[in-house]
Amino acid sequence: MRLRRAAAGAAILLSTLCHSASAQDVTLTSRDGTIELTGTLLGFDGEFYRVDTIYGELTVDGSGVLCDGPGCPNLQDFVAELSISGSATMGAVLMPALIEGFALRNGYTAERSVEDKTHFSYRLTNEQTGKLAAVFAFRVTNTDEGFADLLANEADIVMALREIRADEHMRAEEAGMGDMTEDNRSRVVALDGIVPIVAPNNPVRRISPLDLARAYAGQITNWSDLGGPDAPISLHAPAQRTGLGQAIEDKIIITAGLQMSPNVVRHARGIELSAKVASDAFALGLVSFAEVGNAQALTLAGRCGRALRATRRTIKTEDYPLTAPMFLYRPARRLPKIAREFLAYTGGPSAQIVTRRAGFVDQAPEEVPLDDQGNRLANAIAAAGDEIALTELQRMVSLLSPMKRLTTSFRFEAGSVRLDAQSRSNVQQLARALEQGRYDARKLVFVGFSDGEGPAIANQSIALQRAEAVRRAVIAAAETADVDQVTLEIDAFGEAMPMACDGSAWGRLTNRRVEVWVR
């Protein structure tokens, strides 16, 4: 496969006239016989033909044409085919669980067939008719390979533990796959977190993000520098080409302006990494929240005294700074109906239950009362400087006390007014809830917060602008919602309730957020 990509890569990436391995010549003729179109069949979703013609790639409604040629599909017993490639972490447990949950809910039996270590498939059969309805074929390797398969026209959906890279985005557009950064081109199906771990008998229980970065850059090499024994640190991390491995570099190493040490032991599977660290008293590892296993998770602590631990709630709210969303990416082309139904299912309430049972963090919004957030209020009071008046803290408590915080939060890309990928997904999720009337007769307040850099008055203004930007984005996305049935307000408290220390980039990013409070 790699040799074929190398030989044909340039042609594939720079042309929309991509031929799949099974593509064959077809002729589509209008039912009155007046129009005839000949080309190479690239796909059929049960309703529409996708054909490579002399005019370019065209999508043709199958109800209006007759198909002739060796590539024509069987319209009576059409079997949808969907190829999914990418992250082994998602492919090992999460995606199989979601497919089996989808099948159970929609009247299909799901039969799994394993070909080798990286390939397996699910055959979905209609329970009523006994006919095969779809085959979902998986290739589980890593995020890089998933995007490579997509660009080579060998995958319909990519499982990714990171956002699409700029070069991948550019090549996808050049190949006629559309703008892969648009909201409808990706979906967050679950949340995970990057968690530092040690062996249970290691006395160290906390580490600052900066010290974590310095350890993985080879600047801190002995546990005594972290409050532990006088012993060398053995470093373990996911393989470099995995999405989690790349997310670690993006969120921890590059953010600190450092480079990863060449002495890091790499692992293809997170469970193996966790087991290795758990058995070595002098090991330090980085794994996903779902793969901590028998190891001891470390709390992220700042030099200002605040600490954040990876939990379902802190990951879901993104208060934990090393959150790692799990994406499904797809190009701008029609998928078979059953595939579209599956993608819709992944964003529904049933899928959230499946996700949680599979050991990952679901996205179902929860309402958290202020009484359960005493540590946040304590931080607010302790961090209040001369610019934060007591009256402002009192106003914040007065507004929020009768309300509950949604676990749906919003953050912006660094140095940008554009929401980050997870927040864009959260916009769609909250918009769907409004369209379904879930918050009718209730009040939602979008509350903006900022970091402590700069004057408090300016930070207050910026936080309010961000809250308004999120409110507008949600209303725009909720096209069918009756917004008159719900009260949507904004407010801001600037730097009045920090979640982390402002002395680091990750801390400032954590503090810049828009929360949603409901009553």
Side-chain angles (χ1 to χ4, degrees):
M1 181 178 290
R2 291 190 181 91
L3 290 176
R4 179 157 56 84
R5 283 197 199 123
I12 290 173
L13 297 178
L14 296 175
S15 171
T16 60
L17 307 181
C18 306
H19 296 237
S20 67
S22 59
Q24 299 184 57
D25 290 339
V26 297
T27 298
L28 303 180
T29 306
S30 61
R31 294 190 179 274
D32 61 7
T34 59
I35 300 175
E36 188 176 273
L37 190 67
T38 299
T40 302
L41 183 67
L42 299 178
F44 179 69
D45 65 5
E47 300 172 290
F48 287 77
Y49 296 93
R50 189 162 57 92
V51 184
D52 175 11
T53 74
I54 60 172
Y55 308 106
E57 185 176 310
L58 301 177
T59 300
V60 181
D61 188 344
S63 64
V65 297
L66 300 175
C67 184
D68 182 51
C72 292
N74 184 336
L75 301 183
Q76 298 299 318
D77 296 310
F78 170 72
V79 177
E81 295 182 353
L82 188 73
S83 57
I84 305 172
S85 179
S87 165
T89 299
M90 296 176 65
V93 178
L94 178 61
M95 291 298 289
L98 288 172
I99 286 177
E100 291 172 11
F102 168 75
L104 184 64
R105 182 176 177 82
N106 291 277
Y108 299 106
T109 58
E111 179 184 358
R112 179 169 174 158
S113 175
V114 178
E115 299 175 30
D116 53 45
K117 289 183 178 180
T118 60
H119 293 83
F120 65 88
S121 62
Y122 273 93
R123 296 169 62 86
L124 271 58
T125 302
N126 189 304
E127 290 180 343
Q128 292 185 340
T129 65
K131 290 184 177 181
L132 181 65
V135 176
F136 287 16
F138 283 83
R139 179 173 182 250
V140 292
T141 50
N142 56 59
T143 300
D144 275 6
E145 284 290 297
F147 280 117
D149 284 345
L150 179 74
L151 294 170
N153 226 31
E154 294 170 355
D156 300 305
I157 293 177
V158 178
M159 302 176 290
L161 291 184
R162 60 165 173 80
E163 293 188 57
I164 189 170
R165 301 286 197 204
D167 63 322
E168 294 164 337
H169 170 221
M170 179 186 68
R171 285 182 285 164
E173 276 200 305
E174 290 173 346
M177 297 181 180
D179 183 354
M180 297 290 286
T181 64
E182 289 184 349
D183 295 341
N184 57 350
R185 298 277 69 81
S186 67
R187 166 165 292 170
V188 177
V189 292
L191 304 175
D192 208 341
I194 303 168
V195 183
I197 57 171
V198 296
N201 58 344
N202 187 315
V204 174
R205 289 292 178 267
R206 293 186 173 199
I207 189 170
S208 74
L210 179 57
D211 283 346
L212 183 63
R214 291 179 62 203
Y216 273 88
Q219 294 184 358
I220 295 178
T221 59
N222 195 289
W223 280 108
S224 61
D225 295 325
L226 300 175
D230 181 11
I233 300 173
S234 173
L235 298 171
H236 298 263
Q240 288 177 289
R241 297 194 67 193
T242 63
L244 190 66
Q246 293 167 342
I248 286 169
E249 296 217 23
D250 291 345
K251 291 177 177 287
I252 299 175
I253 306 300
I254 295 175
T255 300
L258 301 173
Q259 291 185 335
M260 187 74 84
S261 168
N263 299 322
V264 178
V265 179
R266 299 286 186 167
H267 299 262
R269 293 174 54 84
I271 292 298
E272 295 170 357
L273 191 162
S274 177
K276 179 63 177 177
V277 171
S279 65
D280 182 353
F282 304 128
L284 175 63
L286 287 166
V287 296
S288 74
F289 177 73
E291 296 175 322
V292 171
N294 295 324
Q296 173 67 48
L298 297 181
T299 298
L300 290 180
R303 298 185 185 277
C304 61
R306 294 183 189 85
L308 291 168
R309 187 165 58 92
T311 66
R312 281 189 62 259
R313 182 169 291 174
T314 59
I315 290 175
K316 185 178 285 193
T317 58
E318 287 189 87
D319 290 345
Y320 183 72
L322 300 182
T323 300
M326 297 181 148
F327 299 95
L328 292 181
Y329 277 91
R330 66 183 184 89
R333 62 178 181 234
R334 284 182 62 89
L335 294 176
K337 182 180 179 182
I338 192 171
R340 301 197 301 271
E341 291 173 344
F342 169 70
L343 288 176
Y345 165 82
T346 62
S350 297
Q352 305 311 311
I353 296 173
V354 171
T355 297
R356 188 168 177 173
R357 289 177 177 173
F360 298 92
V361 179
D362 63 279
Q363 297 180 89
E366 300 173 21
E367 298 181 11
V368 185
L370 188 64
D371 291 346
D372 291 353
Q373 303 174 64
N375 61 324
R376 278 159 51 92
L377 289 177
N379 282 344
I381 295 170
D386 296 337
E387 293 185 281
I388 303 298
L390 175 61
T391 54
E392 186 68 357
L393 293 176
Q394 291 173 331
R395 186 177 78 85
M396 181 173 67
V397 173
S398 175
L399 174 70
L400 302 182
S401 290
M403 308 185 79
K404 295 181 179 180
R405 180 193 178 189
L406 285 186
T407 51
T408 305
S409 299
F410 302 89
R411 283 182 169 80
F412 294 79
E413 294 177 349
S416 171
V417 296
R418 176 181 167 87
L419 288 167
D420 65 23
Q422 183 174 335
S423 297
R424 295 197 297 272
S425 180
N426 288 346
V427 165
Q428 299 301 317
Q429 181 191 67
L430 185 54
R432 286 195 298 269
L434 291 176
E435 289 176 334
Q436 294 163 3
R438 201 174 302 169
Y439 297 106
D440 283 0
R442 302 186 73 182
K443 178 168 76 171
L444 272 65
V445 182
F446 296 87
V447 183
F449 295 93
S450 72
D451 59 39
E453 295 285 297
I457 294 177
N459 288 335
Q460 172 88 358
S461 176
I462 292 171
L464 190 65
Q465 291 173 26
R466 287 175 174 158
E468 174 60 19
V470 173
R471 189 181 77 94
R472 287 199 306 266
V474 171
I475 292 174
E479 296 179 356
T480 63
D482 184 357
V483 294
D484 292 333
Q485 298 299 314
V486 59
T487 302
L488 301 173
E489 297 181 352
I490 63 169
D491 210 325
F493 297 98
E495 59 195 66
M497 189 153 53
M499 293 300 303
C501 307
D502 277 327
S504 64
W506 72 268
R508 292 189 293 273
L509 183 62
T510 300
N511 290 334
R512 296 192 294 264
R513 66 197 185 278
V514 174
E515 300 177 356
V516 184
W517 289 73
V518 61
R519 183 180 184 181

